[in-house]
Each structure stands twice: as structure tokens, then as C-alpha cells.
Amino acid sequence: MTTEPASVLAEDEALELLTHGTMELEGRLVDASNTTLRAEISLDGRAARCVYKPVRGERPLWDFPDGTLAGREVSAFLVSQATGWGLVPPTILRDGPLGPGACQLWIDEPEDAEALIGFVPAYDVPPGWLPVASARDEDGDAYALAHADDPRLSNLAVLDAVINNADRKGGHVLYAPGGRVLGVDHGVSFHVENKLRTVLWGWTGRPLPPEPVEVLTRLEAELGGALGERLEEHLTVNEVQHARLRVRRLLRAGRFPKPPRDWPAVPWPPV
């Protein structure tokens, strides 16, 4: 049996493997705040690695009392899938060794992958990068939190605005083979109140490019139909309605959102 890299699997193949494959746990990711396990999943002689987040390992959150973090992970994938951008690795909800949980295709980042988000010297922001916030290190030297002015990231920023992602850290952006940029860890998304926290504020107030406008127009209709019905399997009706409302607001404004005034705009730690 051969363990397939994520880049080899088409989305439908990955979803088939995640849904019907046999899961064997390999170990726990100790840096995660909730129980997060890496596993191998196999089916008909093919295998791949996945991230398994059992519902029973979730820590309750006072501001996300409804549903599960696993359901929000799956919902983020469903919305990403509907955009056609492929910004979230294939993710499903299934039973596993520790009960029901989110199961997401594991992404191996190439060793030579170049990060597009990070802290850079304040006086030396790379050309084509957008500063987001100022900071100083323990020696008092000035740095800027910045990211590349890259359409892969700007599409991710639009997705985060739609799902109301409260935790877009730089470390939650993966660089997959083939130059793809992927977002992970969407357990604190889809709140009905504005809780958008992200390191991708570089386009604040700028006009949305034509492609995201086209995608959002299509997404607004789908949220009122089949996509909305699928999301209601994991979210409350109110949360789905507010996702559609956020899309309408983005289209009406025609611009990237501005940071909230009553909620920290950047997650901690940022990267």
C-alpha cells in the first residue's frame, strides 16, 4: 500500500478516501488547543494522512455554544468548495477511533515553500508586501506584521470575511505543492456577531477585484439553496443566514472589510 501525497489526490478521490477509508492513529499534535490527531487513512490499496479532530476532545467555548468546532471545520470546506478556489483541504465529518470528528486531508508543505506572511523589519518591508501592524521585539527593534499582495491570499481574506473567521493566524496558512495556498483551523468561524480576526488586513477598504465579486454573487444564491441546506447540517439556521448576509454586505460595499472596532482585529499570536 502506498501513502499518497495530498498533491496527487483529486478532490473527489480525497473525499472518498476520507469518508470510507480505515483510520489508524499515528500521534497527537501537541501544540493544538483541542485534541488534534494525525492518522493514516486507507482504502482499496491507497492511503493518505489526515488530521482527525474528535468532537469529544473539544474544549467548550462560551461564545460558540451551538454545534461543534468539527462542524464548523466542515462548513468552512463546504463554502470554500462552493467558491471554486479550493482554499481549504478536503474535510468531512465522520466516525473515528475516538468517535465523530472532523477529518481533513493532511498537507505536507515543501521544504522550499516561501511564506507569504510574517514579521519583517519595519524599515525593510519586501516589495509587493502590505504592512498590517507594527511591533517591537524584546530589544526594542521595530518590525511590521505584513503579508504579500497576492491574489491567493486576497481570495482567502474574502473567504474569511464570509465565514467570519475569528482566528486567521499566519500559521493557519499552508503552502501546498504546486503553489497552492490553503487555510486550516476554522473551528471558530460562522459566529452571528462580527468576530473577524486575521493577519490579512492589507487590503482593508480596497475595491474587490472582479473575480471575487463574481464568486460572491454566485455564493449568495447558493447559500439560499443547496449550500445553505448542507451547512444547516452543521450550523444553526441563524448562522447560515448571517453568512449569506455577510456576502450581501460585501457585495453592497464592493470592498474588502475594515477591522472591527469592538473586537481585537489580529489574533494572538499572529503567526
Side-chain angles (χ1 to χ4, degrees):
M1 183 167 58
T2 302
T3 301
E4 303 281 5
S7 57
V8 173
L9 294 171
E11 184 179 274
D12 58 344
E13 294 174 328
L15 290 172
E16 177 75 8
L17 185 57
L18 292 174
T19 302
H20 300 292
T22 300
M23 188 186 302
E24 294 186 10
L25 300 181
E26 293 183 332
R28 181 172 181 175
L29 305 183
V30 296
D31 292 337
S33 55
N34 296 282
T35 301
T36 302
L37 305 156
R38 192 173 82 165
E40 184 177 76
I41 194 158
S42 58
L43 179 69
D44 297 334
R46 304 189 74 178
R49 287 191 168 88
C50 65
V51 177
Y52 167 51
K53 298 182 178 181
V55 172
R56 70 166 65 174
E58 296 179 0
R59 295 192 307 173
L61 299 174
W62 66 268
D63 53 346
F64 285 85
D66 299 311
T68 64
L69 305 187
R72 298 175 190 280
E73 296 268 15
V74 175
S75 298
F77 167 69
L78 292 175
V79 175
S80 168
Q81 186 183 43
T83 66
W85 287 331
L87 293 171
V88 178
T91 311
I92 56 110
L93 188 68
R94 60 161 288 173
D95 201 16
L98 299 180
C103 185
Q104 183 176 85
L105 189 66
W106 176 274
I107 303 298
D108 284 310
E109 296 183 283
E111 292 184 1
D112 59 351
E114 184 178 356
L116 301 177
I117 305 167
F119 284 101
V120 296
Y123 55 84
D124 193 23
V125 176
W129 279 48
L130 304 172
V132 172
S134 300
R136 290 186 180 274
D137 65 11
E138 57 187 14
D139 296 322
D141 293 328
Y143 282 82
L145 174 64
H147 60 73
D149 185 4
D150 188 296
R152 295 169 295 178
L153 289 182
S154 62
N155 287 345
L156 187 59
V158 172
L159 176 68
D160 283 340
V162 171
I163 69 173
N164 199 15
N165 188 358
D167 196 28
R168 174 61 70 211
K169 296 182 174 73
H172 294 172
V173 177
L174 304 182
Y175 307 97
R180 293 181 63 201
V181 171
L182 299 171
V184 296
D185 289 323
H186 300 106
V188 286
S189 299
F190 294 99
H191 203 286
V192 297
E193 298 176 6
N194 182 18
K195 290 184 177 290
L196 183 60
R197 291 196 304 177
T198 176
V199 295
L200 300 177
W201 288 116
W203 301 278
T204 295
R206 292 191 183 185
L208 291 170
E211 183 190 358
V213 171
E214 179 181 341
V215 168
L216 289 171
T217 301
R218 186 179 71 249
L219 189 62
E220 194 276 333
E222 293 183 11
L223 282 167
L227 175 59
E229 292 176 1
R230 294 186 68 187
L231 291 177
E232 286 176 13
E233 298 175 12
H234 308 289
L235 306 171
T236 67
V237 172
N238 199 22
E239 287 169 337
V240 176
Q241 290 174 341
H242 273 77
R244 191 179 186 191
L245 179 60
R246 285 191 294 273
V247 173
R248 288 175 176 171
R249 288 172 176 166
L250 283 168
L251 287 170
R252 185 167 61 246
R255 297 179 179 275
F256 286 90
K258 296 181 179 180
R261 296 180 178 179
D262 56 348
W263 181 259
V266 177
W268 186 261
V271 295

